[in-house]
Amino acid sequence: MTVSSAIASFAVVAGMLTIMPGLDTALVLRSAITQGRRRAFATALGILCGVLVWGVAAAVGAAAVLTASRLLYDALRLAGAGYLAWLGIGMLRRTLKERGRPGSGEAANEAAAEATWARSWARGLGTSLLNPKNGVFYMAMLPQFIPSGAPHLLMGVVLATVHDLEGLVWFSALIFGTQLVRRWLNRGSVRRVIDAITGSVLVGFGIKLALADN
């Protein structure tokens, strides 16, 4: 396998993974609708930074420790589950507070203002890093796309960057597409429904992650 063919093959696999509906897509869409384009891109950038970290870790063998150690894997899995549940419950609580309250629109604007660029980035990064499935995926897939004799660290960075570029294109399409109908989507009642759905999805992912065996 040559370097170019390895990159092309990995791009196909990573591309299919990127466009599959999941937690990352839900977070970016929710940010785009309720907090605007800049916050959505910050969330997406945090997720992509997390992917790059996992790619480097897998290339240098750090992810192998996670795969081999049941204790470390379970610790990260439970931490990730708790983090997702915390994010989801926060959205659900905010939805309940705003429901039927006259100042719900003002409260939503305040919540959006508090969601700074750095916080949005950190939320995306934390979600990506605290998902052990990402580490296991990279540990299982990355070695298969590293040609014999190629430097592992460099190839890990290149392949993770390819995945990030595909993710950036996908997230950009979602964000700009959402902006076309954001005025309607950001109405109080619609926004509460979106927060309720996203919060439920996050809690669901957290429960699923907590109960997963491997």
Side-chain angles (χ1 to χ4, degrees):
M1 180 185 295
T2 64
V3 172
S4 58
S5 63
I7 293 175
S9 300
F10 182 81
V12 173
V13 176
M16 294 176 62
L17 181 67
T18 298
I19 63 176
M20 288 178 60
L23 175 61
D24 295 345
T25 297
L27 280 178
V28 172
L29 279 176
R30 189 260 176 186
S31 296
I33 294 169
T34 63
Q35 298 169 357
R37 185 170 57 193
R38 292 185 60 189
R39 303 296 186 269
F41 272 113
T43 302
L45 182 60
I47 292 170
L48 299 179
C49 287
V51 168
L52 185 61
V53 170
W54 278 119
V56 172
V60 300
V65 178
L66 176 65
T67 306
S69 173
R70 179 73 184 191
L71 180 61
L72 287 177
Y73 179 86
D74 284 343
L76 184 59
R77 177 172 58 83
L78 293 176
Y83 179 71
L84 294 179
W86 175 72
L87 289 179
I89 291 172
M91 292 180 189
L92 293 174
R93 289 181 59 188
R94 184 161 54 249
T95 300
L96 292 175
K97 281 184 178 180
E98 292 182 4
R99 181 176 297 173
R101 198 171 67 180
S104 59
E106 181 179 346
N109 292 333
E110 292 175 358
E114 290 176 359
T116 64
W117 196 94
R119 287 182 181 178
S120 298
W121 178 84
R123 174 175 292 183
L125 178 67
T127 301
S128 182
L129 292 181
L130 287 173
N131 188 352
K133 300 291 185 180
N134 289 341
V136 173
F137 165 78
Y138 265 93
M139 188 57 202
M141 296 300 297
L142 207 69
Q144 301 181 39
F145 295 95
I146 298 181
S148 177
H152 282 211
L153 180 58
L154 179 58
M155 278 299 297
V157 172
V158 170
L159 294 178
T161 301
V162 169
H163 194 179
D164 273 354
L165 290 175
E166 291 178 331
L168 182 59
V169 171
W170 173 246
F171 288 144
S172 296
L174 291 177
I175 292 169
F176 284 115
T178 301
Q179 296 307 296
L180 297 177
V181 291
R182 188 188 174 215
R183 179 175 298 180
W184 178 81
L185 291 173
N186 208 28
R187 292 164 54 189
S189 58
V190 178
R191 186 183 58 250
R192 286 193 295 273
V193 170
I194 292 171
D195 270 355
I197 293 175
T198 307
S200 299
V201 168
L202 292 177
V203 173
F205 269 110
I207 294 174
K208 181 179 179 182
L209 189 58
L211 298 178
D213 292 329
N214 48 60

